[in-house]
Amino acid sequence: MQRHRILIVEDSPTMRQLLGFALKRIQGVEIVEARDGMDGLRKVTSDHFDLALVDINMPVMDGLKLIHLIRDEESLKAMPIIVITTEGAEEDRERALALGADEYLTKPVQAGKVLALVKGLLKI
Amino acid sequence: MSQRDGDLFERASEFLAMFRRGAEFTRELVEENARLRRKLLEVETRQNDAAQDPKEWDRLREELIERIQALQSEREDALERLGALEQENRSFAERFLQIEEENNNLANLYVASYQLHSTLDLQEVLRIVVEIVINLVGAEVLCVFALDERTNKLEPVAAEGRERSTFPAVPLGHGGIGSAVANGEIVYRENLPNPDAGEPLVCIPLCVGDRPIGAIALFALLVQKQHFTPLDHELFTLLGGHAATAILAAQLHGQSERKLNTMQGLIELLTK
């Protein structure tokens, strides 16, 4: 069975726990949590991940900066990124997608939708 | 959790039983097909023989007509069974979606409850309350009020979307917020898209039993949040009870810590 490693970069413990709950329904998934953009960058550059869920508004380093830095890294260019944020304006969505995010979801999120997107991007 | 696991296993068993019935049905069809092939071969042999004898030919013809009628009847039965199986399949799929949604809702409620009771630090509890209302409900502007029992006023203790200082203290029993807390009932306003600044869209009184602790007032929702869902109502009820307990527990814990420190200081002073 193929294992999938997913990084959740989110400053809210509630959201981290909720997303973790949803993603654990995928068989063979391993979840790693990061509490801000800097923590996320450290983890994503030091280990392999198949996908990242990234919040935008976070302390230390925001999600947009993190996406920009991830896409600058040659080895991480293909890693799918799903943004999950409270920012619902169209320009925020466009900015995130232009920086290299693959999908953009606004809070409050439905677990089923997150699962469907993750499965689609991981092709499982 | 274990009850839910049990339910899920029960559902999984139901699905398995359904698929077994499907497999049994397929096996029956394959056997029937083989039987018919044998019968056809037999009929062909008899037909060749009957070509020599007109009486035999008529008998064979009647037998064939009877057989065709029997097969037609069997076909209708099979189609009926197939239709029933498809219907059962559809209803299982619908039930599966319902269970998925219930599961997701329960996960939201569990996480909210778990987080609320994860600490005894008052500021941390307030931060978690705000976080739940923003992330799980989708509020943009909100304020958490705590009842000051000396003044009988609801004082703003945490806010998001606007400075906390812009929310005035509310006397218990006055206005939308004060009345909601005094009555212990969640208050909703109908016109979600155009809230005025003073009154909240939703006011959730925080009570432990009959004792009012405070309130959570939602003044504006995120741009993508168009309406409240059944899950939001569940969350409001959960917050009304669990956030109140968590806040009261943290307040009491803080008071006992302070008293303990004072007493320890006093004992140290007396024993020196």
Side-chain angles (χ1 to χ4, degrees), chain A residues 9-12 15-16 19 54-58 83-88 104-110, chain B residues 131 134-139 222-225:
Chain A
V9 190
E10 167 67 75
D11 61 325
S12 155
M15 280 305 291
R16 288 203 301 269
L19 291 171
V54 178
D55 183 19
I56 288 188
N57 297 319
M58 289 185 289
V83 170
I84 297 180
T85 177
T86 52
E87 304 298 329
Y104 191 94
L105 286 178
T106 52
K107 294 177 188 174
V109 289
Q110 291 173 316
Chain B
E131 200 182 85
I134 294 170
N135 289 302
L136 303 192
V137 177
L222 294 169
V223 65
Q224 64 271 19
K225 179 83 179 181

PDB file of all heavy atoms in Angstrom, chain A residues 9-12 15-16 19 54-58 83-88 104-110, chain B residues 131 134-139 222-225:
ATOM      1  N   VAL A   9      -0.198  23.121   7.344  1.00  0.00           N
ATOM      2  CA  VAL A   9       0.419  24.344   7.878  1.00  0.00           C
ATOM      3  C   VAL A   9      -0.717  25.281   8.292  1.00  0.00           C
ATOM      4  O   VAL A   9      -1.408  25.849   7.439  1.00  0.00           O
ATOM      5  CB  VAL A   9       1.327  25.021   6.828  1.00  0.00           C
ATOM      6  CG1 VAL A   9       2.137  26.136   7.478  1.00  0.00           C
ATOM      7  CG2 VAL A   9       2.240  24.019   6.155  1.00  0.00           C
ATOM      8  N   GLU A  10      -0.931  25.389   9.570  1.00  0.00           N
ATOM      9  CA  GLU A  10      -2.123  26.100  10.084  1.00  0.00           C
ATOM     10  C   GLU A  10      -1.840  26.528  11.522  1.00  0.00           C
ATOM     11  O   GLU A  10      -1.373  25.718  12.325  1.00  0.00           O
ATOM     12  CB  GLU A  10      -3.308  25.120   9.996  1.00  0.00           C
ATOM     13  CG  GLU A  10      -4.560  25.479  10.716  1.00  0.00           C
ATOM     14  CD  GLU A  10      -5.285  26.675  10.161  1.00  0.00           C
ATOM     15  OE1 GLU A  10      -5.932  26.573   9.103  1.00  0.00           O
ATOM     16  OE2 GLU A  10      -5.186  27.735  10.819  1.00  0.00           O
ATOM     17  N   ASP A  11      -2.101  27.794  11.840  1.00  0.00           N
ATOM     18  CA  ASP A  11      -1.809  28.265  13.207  1.00  0.00           C
ATOM     19  C   ASP A  11      -2.911  27.882  14.200  1.00  0.00           C
ATOM     20  O   ASP A  11      -2.685  27.893  15.399  1.00  0.00           O
ATOM     21  CB  ASP A  11      -1.562  29.779  13.227  1.00  0.00           C
ATOM     22  CG  ASP A  11      -2.774  30.566  12.755  1.00  0.00           C
ATOM     23  OD1 ASP A  11      -3.472  30.080  11.859  1.00  0.00           O
ATOM     24  OD2 ASP A  11      -3.013  31.667  13.277  1.00  0.00           O
ATOM     25  N   SER A  12      -4.088  27.547  13.699  1.00  0.00           N
ATOM     26  CA  SER A  12      -5.188  27.202  14.607  1.00  0.00           C
ATOM     27  C   SER A  12      -5.150  25.714  14.972  1.00  0.00           C
ATOM     28  O   SER A  12      -5.314  24.852  14.098  1.00  0.00           O
ATOM     29  CB  SER A  12      -6.526  27.548  13.930  1.00  0.00           C
ATOM     30  OG  SER A  12      -7.553  26.761  14.462  1.00  0.00           O
ATOM     31  N   MET A  15      -8.286  23.874  13.759  1.00  0.00           N
ATOM     32  CA  MET A  15      -8.294  23.513  12.339  1.00  0.00           C
ATOM     33  C   MET A  15      -7.335  22.367  12.050  1.00  0.00           C
ATOM     34  O   MET A  15      -7.634  21.489  11.240  1.00  0.00           O
ATOM     35  CB  MET A  15      -7.932  24.727  11.468  1.00  0.00           C
ATOM     36  CG  MET A  15      -9.052  25.690  11.238  1.00  0.00           C
ATOM     37  SD  MET A  15     -10.534  24.930  10.551  1.00  0.00           S
ATOM     38  CE  MET A  15     -10.009  24.490   8.916  1.00  0.00           C
ATOM     39  N   ARG A  16      -6.169  22.393  12.713  1.00  0.00           N
ATOM     40  CA  ARG A  16      -5.203  21.305  12.497  1.00  0.00           C
ATOM     41  C   ARG A  16      -5.825  19.970  12.900  1.00  0.00           C
ATOM     42  O   ARG A  16      -5.719  18.983  12.180  1.00  0.00           O
ATOM     43  CB  ARG A  16      -3.919  21.547  13.310  1.00  0.00           C
ATOM     44  CG  ARG A  16      -3.041  22.662  12.778  1.00  0.00           C
ATOM     45  CD  ARG A  16      -1.589  22.500  13.233  1.00  0.00           C
ATOM     46  NE  ARG A  16      -1.452  22.487  14.669  1.00  0.00           N
ATOM     47  CZ  ARG A  16      -1.238  23.571  15.431  1.00  0.00           C
ATOM     48  NH1 ARG A  16      -1.143  24.761  14.864  1.00  0.00           N
ATOM     49  NH2 ARG A  16      -1.099  23.466  16.739  1.00  0.00           N
ATOM     50  N   LEU A  19      -8.720  19.051  10.350  1.00  0.00           N
ATOM     51  CA  LEU A  19      -8.205  18.584   9.053  1.00  0.00           C
ATOM     52  C   LEU A  19      -7.539  17.220   9.201  1.00  0.00           C
ATOM     53  O   LEU A  19      -7.678  16.354   8.338  1.00  0.00           O
ATOM     54  CB  LEU A  19      -7.205  19.604   8.476  1.00  0.00           C
ATOM     55  CG  LEU A  19      -7.822  20.939   8.032  1.00  0.00           C
ATOM     56  CD1 LEU A  19      -6.737  21.958   7.691  1.00  0.00           C
ATOM     57  CD2 LEU A  19      -8.737  20.737   6.829  1.00  0.00           C
ATOM     58  N   VAL A  54      -2.320  24.630   3.296  1.00  0.00           N
ATOM     59  CA  VAL A  54      -1.697  25.843   3.829  1.00  0.00           C
ATOM     60  C   VAL A  54      -2.747  26.918   4.116  1.00  0.00           C
ATOM     61  O   VAL A  54      -3.573  27.242   3.245  1.00  0.00           O
ATOM     62  CB  VAL A  54      -0.651  26.389   2.812  1.00  0.00           C
ATOM     63  CG1 VAL A  54      -0.033  27.673   3.309  1.00  0.00           C
ATOM     64  CG2 VAL A  54       0.434  25.354   2.547  1.00  0.00           C
ATOM     65  N   ASP A  55      -2.679  27.456   5.333  1.00  0.00           N
ATOM     66  CA  ASP A  55      -3.528  28.596   5.696  1.00  0.00           C
ATOM     67  C   ASP A  55      -2.821  29.869   5.203  1.00  0.00           C
ATOM     68  O   ASP A  55      -1.608  29.847   4.948  1.00  0.00           O
ATOM     69  CB  ASP A  55      -3.686  28.615   7.227  1.00  0.00           C
ATOM     70  CG  ASP A  55      -4.625  29.718   7.703  1.00  0.00           C
ATOM     71  OD1 ASP A  55      -5.420  30.223   6.891  1.00  0.00           O
ATOM     72  OD2 ASP A  55      -4.555  30.068   8.901  1.00  0.00           O
ATOM     73  N   ILE A  56      -3.548  30.964   5.075  1.00  0.00           N
ATOM     74  CA  ILE A  56      -2.882  32.204   4.632  1.00  0.00           C
ATOM     75  C   ILE A  56      -2.475  33.062   5.824  1.00  0.00           C
ATOM     76  O   ILE A  56      -1.305  33.422   5.966  1.00  0.00           O
ATOM     77  CB  ILE A  56      -3.773  32.992   3.650  1.00  0.00           C
ATOM     78  CG1 ILE A  56      -3.817  32.240   2.306  1.00  0.00           C
ATOM     79  CG2 ILE A  56      -3.211  34.407   3.435  1.00  0.00           C
ATOM     80  CD1 ILE A  56      -4.491  32.977   1.181  1.00  0.00           C
ATOM     81  N   ASN A  57      -3.435  33.388   6.676  1.00  0.00           N
ATOM     82  CA  ASN A  57      -3.118  34.283   7.806  1.00  0.00           C
ATOM     83  C   ASN A  57      -2.488  33.508   8.951  1.00  0.00           C
ATOM     84  O   ASN A  57      -3.178  32.812   9.695  1.00  0.00           O
ATOM     85  CB  ASN A  57      -4.389  34.979   8.293  1.00  0.00           C
ATOM     86  CG  ASN A  57      -4.976  35.858   7.223  1.00  0.00           C
ATOM     87  OD1 ASN A  57      -4.256  36.543   6.507  1.00  0.00           O
ATOM     88  ND2 ASN A  57      -6.285  35.812   7.074  1.00  0.00           N
ATOM     89  N   MET A  58      -1.169  33.647   9.055  1.00  0.00           N
ATOM     90  CA  MET A  58      -0.441  32.939  10.123  1.00  0.00           C
ATOM     91  C   MET A  58       0.643  33.856  10.666  1.00  0.00           C
ATOM     92  O   MET A  58       1.139  34.725   9.950  1.00  0.00           O
ATOM     93  CB  MET A  58       0.218  31.673   9.559  1.00  0.00           C
ATOM     94  CG  MET A  58      -0.744  30.569   9.206  1.00  0.00           C
ATOM     95  SD  MET A  58       0.105  29.071   8.685  1.00  0.00           S
ATOM     96  CE  MET A  58       0.751  29.575   7.095  1.00  0.00           C
ATOM     97  N   VAL A  83      -4.831  25.685  -0.505  1.00  0.00           N
ATOM     98  CA  VAL A  83      -4.958  26.790   0.447  1.00  0.00           C
ATOM     99  C   VAL A  83      -6.316  26.666   1.146  1.00  0.00           C
ATOM    100  O   VAL A  83      -7.335  26.434   0.489  1.00  0.00           O
ATOM    101  CB  VAL A  83      -4.846  28.151  -0.284  1.00  0.00           C
ATOM    102  CG1 VAL A  83      -5.208  29.290   0.650  1.00  0.00           C
ATOM    103  CG2 VAL A  83      -3.447  28.341  -0.839  1.00  0.00           C
ATOM    104  N   ILE A  84      -6.296  26.793   2.471  1.00  0.00           N
ATOM    105  CA  ILE A  84      -7.548  26.797   3.242  1.00  0.00           C
ATOM    106  C   ILE A  84      -7.532  28.044   4.119  1.00  0.00           C
ATOM    107  O   ILE A  84      -6.706  28.161   5.016  1.00  0.00           O
ATOM    108  CB  ILE A  84      -7.688  25.527   4.102  1.00  0.00           C
ATOM    109  CG1 ILE A  84      -7.757  24.305   3.186  1.00  0.00           C
ATOM    110  CG2 ILE A  84      -8.938  25.610   4.973  1.00  0.00           C
ATOM    111  CD1 ILE A  84      -7.897  22.992   3.903  1.00  0.00           C
ATOM    112  N   THR A  85      -8.399  28.988   3.809  1.00  0.00           N
ATOM    113  CA  THR A  85      -8.298  30.303   4.444  1.00  0.00           C
ATOM    114  C   THR A  85      -9.661  30.939   4.707  1.00  0.00           C
ATOM    115  O   THR A  85     -10.665  30.530   4.117  1.00  0.00           O
ATOM    116  CB  THR A  85      -7.462  31.235   3.536  1.00  0.00           C
ATOM    117  OG1 THR A  85      -7.413  32.532   4.111  1.00  0.00           O
ATOM    118  CG2 THR A  85      -8.060  31.338   2.146  1.00  0.00           C
ATOM    119  N   THR A  86      -9.655  31.962   5.557  1.00  0.00           N
ATOM    120  CA  THR A  86     -10.880  32.742   5.776  1.00  0.00           C
ATOM    121  C   THR A  86     -11.046  33.803   4.678  1.00  0.00           C
ATOM    122  O   THR A  86     -12.122  34.382   4.541  1.00  0.00           O
ATOM    123  CB  THR A  86     -10.833  33.477   7.134  1.00  0.00           C
ATOM    124  OG1 THR A  86      -9.620  34.208   7.205  1.00  0.00           O
ATOM    125  CG2 THR A  86     -10.933  32.508   8.287  1.00  0.00           C
ATOM    126  N   GLU A  87      -9.977  34.072   3.936  1.00  0.00           N
ATOM    127  CA  GLU A  87     -10.003  35.144   2.921  1.00  0.00           C
ATOM    128  C   GLU A  87     -10.832  34.705   1.712  1.00  0.00           C
ATOM    129  O   GLU A  87     -10.388  33.895   0.911  1.00  0.00           O
ATOM    130  CB  GLU A  87      -8.575  35.490   2.460  1.00  0.00           C
ATOM    131  CG  GLU A  87      -7.631  35.872   3.584  1.00  0.00           C
ATOM    132  CD  GLU A  87      -8.084  37.120   4.337  1.00  0.00           C
ATOM    133  OE1 GLU A  87      -8.710  37.993   3.722  1.00  0.00           O
ATOM    134  OE2 GLU A  87      -7.824  37.200   5.546  1.00  0.00           O
ATOM    135  N   GLY A  88     -12.020  35.291   1.585  1.00  0.00           N
ATOM    136  CA  GLY A  88     -12.923  34.848   0.527  1.00  0.00           C
ATOM    137  C   GLY A  88     -12.959  35.748  -0.698  1.00  0.00           C
ATOM    138  O   GLY A  88     -13.687  35.452  -1.653  1.00  0.00           O
ATOM    139  N   TYR A 104      -7.988  26.311  -3.886  1.00  0.00           N
ATOM    140  CA  TYR A 104      -8.227  27.379  -2.910  1.00  0.00           C
ATOM    141  C   TYR A 104      -9.587  27.146  -2.260  1.00  0.00           C
ATOM    142  O   TYR A 104     -10.612  27.182  -2.937  1.00  0.00           O
ATOM    143  CB  TYR A 104      -8.203  28.720  -3.645  1.00  0.00           C
ATOM    144  CG  TYR A 104      -8.173  29.943  -2.764  1.00  0.00           C
ATOM    145  CD1 TYR A 104      -6.967  30.538  -2.417  1.00  0.00           C
ATOM    146  CD2 TYR A 104      -9.350  30.515  -2.309  1.00  0.00           C
ATOM    147  CE1 TYR A 104      -6.933  31.676  -1.628  1.00  0.00           C
ATOM    148  CE2 TYR A 104      -9.323  31.650  -1.513  1.00  0.00           C
ATOM    149  CZ  TYR A 104      -8.118  32.233  -1.185  1.00  0.00           C
ATOM    150  OH  TYR A 104      -8.071  33.362  -0.399  1.00  0.00           O
ATOM    151  N   LEU A 105      -9.572  26.868  -0.979  1.00  0.00           N
ATOM    152  CA  LEU A 105     -10.826  26.633  -0.256  1.00  0.00           C
ATOM    153  C   LEU A 105     -10.999  27.697   0.819  1.00  0.00           C
ATOM    154  O   LEU A 105     -10.026  28.085   1.469  1.00  0.00           O
ATOM    155  CB  LEU A 105     -10.804  25.276   0.433  1.00  0.00           C
ATOM    156  CG  LEU A 105     -10.953  24.019  -0.436  1.00  0.00           C
ATOM    157  CD1 LEU A 105     -10.860  22.781   0.449  1.00  0.00           C
ATOM    158  CD2 LEU A 105     -12.280  24.023  -1.163  1.00  0.00           C
ATOM    159  N   THR A 106     -12.245  28.142   0.999  1.00  0.00           N
ATOM    160  CA  THR A 106     -12.485  29.136   2.055  1.00  0.00           C
ATOM    161  C   THR A 106     -13.154  28.481   3.251  1.00  0.00           C
ATOM    162  O   THR A 106     -13.941  27.553   3.102  1.00  0.00           O
ATOM    163  CB  THR A 106     -13.377  30.285   1.531  1.00  0.00           C
ATOM    164  OG1 THR A 106     -14.543  29.738   0.945  1.00  0.00           O
ATOM    165  CG2 THR A 106     -12.639  31.156   0.550  1.00  0.00           C
ATOM    166  N   LYS A 107     -12.804  28.990   4.437  1.00  0.00           N
ATOM    167  CA  LYS A 107     -13.404  28.498   5.689  1.00  0.00           C
ATOM    168  C   LYS A 107     -14.798  29.101   5.858  1.00  0.00           C
ATOM    169  O   LYS A 107     -15.008  30.217   5.411  1.00  0.00           O
ATOM    170  CB  LYS A 107     -12.526  28.893   6.870  1.00  0.00           C
ATOM    171  CG  LYS A 107     -11.162  28.224   6.870  1.00  0.00           C
ATOM    172  CD  LYS A 107     -10.344  28.741   8.029  1.00  0.00           C
ATOM    173  CE  LYS A 107      -8.913  28.266   7.962  1.00  0.00           C
ATOM    174  NZ  LYS A 107      -8.048  28.867   8.997  1.00  0.00           N
ATOM    175  N   PRO A 108     -15.702  28.438   6.503  1.00  0.00           N
ATOM    176  CA  PRO A 108     -15.541  27.104   7.072  1.00  0.00           C
ATOM    177  C   PRO A 108     -15.558  26.036   5.981  1.00  0.00           C
ATOM    178  O   PRO A 108     -16.383  26.124   5.060  1.00  0.00           O
ATOM    179  CB  PRO A 108     -16.761  26.963   7.994  1.00  0.00           C
ATOM    180  CG  PRO A 108     -17.758  27.943   7.490  1.00  0.00           C
ATOM    181  CD  PRO A 108     -17.020  29.038   6.818  1.00  0.00           C
ATOM    182  N   VAL A 109     -14.660  25.059   6.099  1.00  0.00           N
ATOM    183  CA  VAL A 109     -14.541  24.046   5.039  1.00  0.00           C
ATOM    184  C   VAL A 109     -15.374  22.821   5.387  1.00  0.00           C
ATOM    185  O   VAL A 109     -15.614  22.530   6.542  1.00  0.00           O
ATOM    186  CB  VAL A 109     -13.086  23.603   4.805  1.00  0.00           C
ATOM    187  CG1 VAL A 109     -12.284  24.683   4.147  1.00  0.00           C
ATOM    188  CG2 VAL A 109     -12.430  23.128   6.084  1.00  0.00           C
ATOM    189  N   GLN A 110     -15.779  22.125   4.321  1.00  0.00           N
ATOM    190  CA  GLN A 110     -16.478  20.850   4.512  1.00  0.00           C
ATOM    191  C   GLN A 110     -15.437  19.749   4.354  1.00  0.00           C
ATOM    192  O   GLN A 110     -14.698  19.736   3.352  1.00  0.00           O
ATOM    193  CB  GLN A 110     -17.570  20.681   3.469  1.00  0.00           C
ATOM    194  CG  GLN A 110     -18.723  21.651   3.663  1.00  0.00           C
ATOM    195  CD  GLN A 110     -19.699  21.580   2.529  1.00  0.00           C
ATOM    196  OE1 GLN A 110     -19.323  21.537   1.364  1.00  0.00           O
ATOM    197  NE2 GLN A 110     -20.976  21.570   2.868  1.00  0.00           N
TER     198      GLN A 110
ATOM    199  N   GLU B 131     -11.388  31.287  17.955  1.00  0.00           N
ATOM    200  CA  GLU B 131     -10.906  30.466  16.839  1.00  0.00           C
ATOM    201  C   GLU B 131     -12.010  29.550  16.298  1.00  0.00           C
ATOM    202  O   GLU B 131     -12.175  29.413  15.084  1.00  0.00           O
ATOM    203  CB  GLU B 131      -9.766  29.610  17.391  1.00  0.00           C
ATOM    204  CG  GLU B 131      -8.841  29.066  16.361  1.00  0.00           C
ATOM    205  CD  GLU B 131      -7.801  28.219  17.048  1.00  0.00           C
ATOM    206  OE1 GLU B 131      -8.067  27.040  17.290  1.00  0.00           O
ATOM    207  OE2 GLU B 131      -6.735  28.755  17.375  1.00  0.00           O
ATOM    208  N   ILE B 134     -14.583  31.629  14.353  1.00  0.00           N
ATOM    209  CA  ILE B 134     -14.075  32.072  13.046  1.00  0.00           C
ATOM    210  C   ILE B 134     -13.975  30.891  12.083  1.00  0.00           C
ATOM    211  O   ILE B 134     -14.504  30.928  10.973  1.00  0.00           O
ATOM    212  CB  ILE B 134     -12.678  32.726  13.187  1.00  0.00           C
ATOM    213  CG1 ILE B 134     -12.780  34.017  13.979  1.00  0.00           C
ATOM    214  CG2 ILE B 134     -12.057  32.995  11.813  1.00  0.00           C
ATOM    215  CD1 ILE B 134     -11.435  34.594  14.369  1.00  0.00           C
ATOM    216  N   ASN B 135     -13.279  29.837  12.512  1.00  0.00           N
ATOM    217  CA  ASN B 135     -12.945  28.741  11.596  1.00  0.00           C
ATOM    218  C   ASN B 135     -14.083  27.768  11.337  1.00  0.00           C
ATOM    219  O   ASN B 135     -14.213  27.266  10.230  1.00  0.00           O
ATOM    220  CB  ASN B 135     -11.747  27.956  12.138  1.00  0.00           C
ATOM    221  CG  ASN B 135     -10.475  28.748  12.044  1.00  0.00           C
ATOM    222  OD1 ASN B 135     -10.062  29.172  10.977  1.00  0.00           O
ATOM    223  ND2 ASN B 135      -9.842  28.972  13.183  1.00  0.00           N
ATOM    224  N   LEU B 136     -14.868  27.485  12.344  1.00  0.00           N
ATOM    225  CA  LEU B 136     -15.917  26.470  12.155  1.00  0.00           C
ATOM    226  C   LEU B 136     -17.266  27.076  11.792  1.00  0.00           C
ATOM    227  O   LEU B 136     -18.076  26.435  11.133  1.00  0.00           O
ATOM    228  CB  LEU B 136     -16.052  25.590  13.401  1.00  0.00           C
ATOM    229  CG  LEU B 136     -14.793  24.852  13.863  1.00  0.00           C
ATOM    230  CD1 LEU B 136     -15.152  23.811  14.907  1.00  0.00           C
ATOM    231  CD2 LEU B 136     -14.057  24.195  12.716  1.00  0.00           C
ATOM    232  N   VAL B 137     -17.520  28.307  12.252  1.00  0.00           N
ATOM    233  CA  VAL B 137     -18.802  28.941  11.907  1.00  0.00           C
ATOM    234  C   VAL B 137     -18.624  29.883  10.712  1.00  0.00           C
ATOM    235  O   VAL B 137     -19.444  29.904   9.810  1.00  0.00           O
ATOM    236  CB  VAL B 137     -19.379  29.708  13.125  1.00  0.00           C
ATOM    237  CG1 VAL B 137     -20.668  30.431  12.742  1.00  0.00           C
ATOM    238  CG2 VAL B 137     -19.651  28.754  14.283  1.00  0.00           C
ATOM    239  N   GLY B 138     -17.527  30.641  10.712  1.00  0.00           N
ATOM    240  CA  GLY B 138     -17.291  31.574   9.605  1.00  0.00           C
ATOM    241  C   GLY B 138     -17.657  33.001   9.958  1.00  0.00           C
ATOM    242  O   GLY B 138     -18.163  33.745   9.119  1.00  0.00           O
ATOM    243  N   ALA B 139     -17.397  33.396  11.217  1.00  0.00           N
ATOM    244  CA  ALA B 139     -17.691  34.777  11.634  1.00  0.00           C
ATOM    245  C   ALA B 139     -16.496  35.674  11.331  1.00  0.00           C
ATOM    246  O   ALA B 139     -15.345  35.238  11.393  1.00  0.00           O
ATOM    247  CB  ALA B 139     -17.996  34.809  13.123  1.00  0.00           C
ATOM    248  N   LEU B 222     -18.080  36.051   7.436  1.00  0.00           N
ATOM    249  CA  LEU B 222     -17.134  36.116   6.329  1.00  0.00           C
ATOM    250  C   LEU B 222     -17.903  36.261   5.013  1.00  0.00           C
ATOM    251  O   LEU B 222     -19.042  35.797   4.916  1.00  0.00           O
ATOM    252  CB  LEU B 222     -16.284  34.838   6.282  1.00  0.00           C
ATOM    253  CG  LEU B 222     -15.329  34.627   7.465  1.00  0.00           C
ATOM    254  CD1 LEU B 222     -14.747  33.213   7.439  1.00  0.00           C
ATOM    255  CD2 LEU B 222     -14.192  35.650   7.438  1.00  0.00           C
ATOM    256  N   VAL B 223     -17.266  36.889   4.032  1.00  0.00           N
ATOM    257  CA  VAL B 223     -17.949  37.201   2.778  1.00  0.00           C
ATOM    258  C   VAL B 223     -18.520  35.943   2.107  1.00  0.00           C
ATOM    259  O   VAL B 223     -19.583  35.977   1.488  1.00  0.00           O
ATOM    260  CB  VAL B 223     -16.991  37.977   1.840  1.00  0.00           C
ATOM    261  CG1 VAL B 223     -15.798  37.129   1.415  1.00  0.00           C
ATOM    262  CG2 VAL B 223     -17.715  38.482   0.618  1.00  0.00           C
ATOM    263  N   GLN B 224     -17.835  34.806   2.277  1.00  0.00           N
ATOM    264  CA  GLN B 224     -18.293  33.566   1.624  1.00  0.00           C
ATOM    265  C   GLN B 224     -19.385  32.838   2.408  1.00  0.00           C
ATOM    266  O   GLN B 224     -19.950  31.860   1.936  1.00  0.00           O
ATOM    267  CB  GLN B 224     -17.112  32.616   1.374  1.00  0.00           C
ATOM    268  CG  GLN B 224     -16.427  32.092   2.610  1.00  0.00           C
ATOM    269  CD  GLN B 224     -15.302  32.994   3.086  1.00  0.00           C
ATOM    270  OE1 GLN B 224     -15.239  34.155   2.727  1.00  0.00           O
ATOM    271  NE2 GLN B 224     -14.395  32.462   3.884  1.00  0.00           N
ATOM    272  N   LYS B 225     -19.647  33.321   3.629  1.00  0.00           N
ATOM    273  CA  LYS B 225     -20.645  32.649   4.477  1.00  0.00           C
ATOM    274  C   LYS B 225     -22.002  33.305   4.240  1.00  0.00           C
ATOM    275  O   LYS B 225     -22.254  34.429   4.682  1.00  0.00           O
ATOM    276  CB  LYS B 225     -20.218  32.769   5.950  1.00  0.00           C
ATOM    277  CG  LYS B 225     -21.169  32.140   6.929  1.00  0.00           C
ATOM    278  CD  LYS B 225     -20.947  30.666   7.062  1.00  0.00           C
ATOM    279  CE  LYS B 225     -21.887  30.063   8.074  1.00  0.00           C
ATOM    280  NZ  LYS B 225     -21.680  28.628   8.235  1.00  0.00           N
TER     281      LYS B 225
END
